[in-house]
């Protein structure tokens, strides 16, 4: 089969031109790969999520994100049988710093400087969650290098307090609404 750029091109689901290192709240949904993903992280029993050992790893990796990323505060989160929903809050504005200047006598000599961001953006944080959890899950199930997560993820920039409250309720209610969930297999 020949490459067809319209059929084989993955289009970005990100807002063009939006700075995903900007302070704010972001709702994310990350799906497991297909196959055994329908119950990869646990099962729903009587409207509640019962995590298995892989689901526990995902929960632990989520809770550990602030220790890897200084600008992250976590909000509502739920592990479902084949996906996760969570709210990641990025705090502070990105610091833009240049390369250090080289000293030349009493005055520093100018150097060519490329701005570098110190804050981590949402894509890097989601990638970190996927990487940390995949490695641990694959060690446990002895399947090194096997994909655990789908390539992309859904994100929504939380608009205001009303939007935040609606999303928090959605996350909290997700296990009870599993039978009607679009990700229910």
């Amino acid at each position: 089969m020949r490459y067809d750029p319209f059929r084989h091109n993955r289009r970005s689901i990100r807002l063009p031109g939006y700075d995903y290192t900007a302070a704010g709240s972001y709702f994310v949904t990350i799906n497991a790969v297909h196959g055994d993903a329908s119950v990869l992280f646990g099962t729903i029993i009587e409207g509640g999520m019962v995590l298995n050992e892989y689901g526990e790893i995902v929960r632990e990796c989520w809770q550990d994100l602030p220790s890897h990323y200084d600008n992250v505060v976590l909000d509502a989160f739920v592990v479902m049988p084949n996906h996760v929903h969570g709210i990641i809050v990025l705090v502070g504005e990105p610091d833009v710093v240049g390369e250090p200047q080289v000293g030349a006598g009493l005055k520093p000599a100018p150097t060519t400087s490329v701005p570098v961001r110190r804050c981590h953006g949402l894509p890097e944080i989601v990638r970190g969650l996927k990487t940390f959890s995949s490695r641990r899950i694959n060690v446990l199930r002895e399947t090194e290098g096997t994909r655990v997560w789908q390539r992309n993820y859904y994100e929504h920039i939380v608009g205001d307090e009303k939007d935040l409250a609606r999303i928090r309720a959605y996350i909290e209610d997700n296990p009870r609404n599993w039978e009607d969930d679009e990700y229910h297999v």
Side-chain angles (χ1 to χ4, degrees), residues 85-175:
H85 294 297
I87 299 171
I88 296 172
V89 181
L90 301 184
V91 296
E93 292 299 321
D95 295 327
V96 178
V97 297
E99 301 286 327
Q101 295 195 345
V102 178
L106 296 175
K107 291 186 172 184
T111 61
T112 305
S113 180
V114 177
V116 178
R117 291 194 185 273
R118 286 191 205 165
C119 288
H120 299 282
L122 184 65
E124 183 177 348
I125 294 161
V126 170
R127 183 174 50 249
L129 175 64
K130 288 178 173 184
T131 301
F132 303 146
S133 59
S134 294
R135 285 182 184 155
R136 289 183 54 196
I137 288 169
N138 284 330
V139 164
L140 189 61
R141 63 183 186 178
E142 298 178 356
T143 57
E144 185 178 337
T146 301
R147 288 182 56 210
V148 172
W149 301 102
Q150 289 183 13
R151 180 176 173 203
N152 286 329
Y153 60 94
Y154 168 82
E155 56 79 15
H156 167 79
I157 302 162
V158 179
D160 56 22
E161 288 297 321
K162 185 177 177 182
D163 195 24
L164 182 61
R166 179 187 60 78
I167 293 167
R168 283 177 176 153
Y170 174 80
I171 292 170
E172 182 180 326
D173 294 340
N174 210 248

Side-chain angles (χ1 to χ4, degrees), residues 45 59 78 145 164:
I45 298 176
R59 185 187 56 75
V78 67
L164 182 61

Side-chain angles (χ1 to χ4, degrees), residues 1-158:
M1 174 186 268
R2 294 189 60 207
Y3 172 76
D4 178 349
F6 295 103
R7 186 167 173 218
H8 296 104
N9 185 25
R10 288 188 179 260
R11 74 179 171 80
S12 175
I13 58 174
R14 309 293 157 251
L15 277 177
Y18 186 82
D19 180 2
Y20 284 93
T21 63
S25 298
Y26 301 87
F27 169 56
V28 296
T29 298
I30 310 167
N31 293 318
V33 294
H34 301 293
D36 63 350
S38 63
V39 293
L40 183 61
F41 305 128
T43 57
I44 302 290
I45 298 176
E46 297 179 9
M49 181 64 191
V50 179
L51 299 177
N52 62 21
E53 54 199 354
Y54 308 138
E56 286 291 341
I57 288 171
V58 173
R59 185 187 56 75
E60 290 167 9
C61 289
W62 169 267
Q63 291 174 338
D64 199 36
L65 286 173
S67 69
H68 297 281
Y69 305 103
D70 293 338
N71 61 320
V72 168
V73 174
L74 301 175
D75 201 297
F77 177 71
V78 67
V79 178
M80 297 295 290
N82 61 0
H83 67 282
V84 298
H85 294 297
I87 299 171
I88 296 172
V89 181
L90 301 184
V91 296
E93 292 299 321
D95 295 327
V96 178
V97 297
E99 301 286 327
Q101 295 195 345
V102 178
L106 296 175
K107 291 186 172 184
T111 61
T112 305
S113 180
V114 177
V116 178
R117 291 194 185 273
R118 286 191 205 165
C119 288
H120 299 282
L122 184 65
E124 183 177 348
I125 294 161
V126 170
R127 183 174 50 249
L129 175 64
K130 288 178 173 184
T131 301
F132 303 146
S133 59
S134 294
R135 285 182 184 155
R136 289 183 54 196
I137 288 169
N138 284 330
V139 164
L140 189 61
R141 63 183 186 178
E142 298 178 356
T143 57
E144 185 178 337
T146 301
R147 288 182 56 210
V148 172
W149 301 102
Q150 289 183 13
R151 180 176 173 203
N152 286 329
Y153 60 94
Y154 168 82
E155 56 79 15
H156 167 79
I157 302 162
V158 179

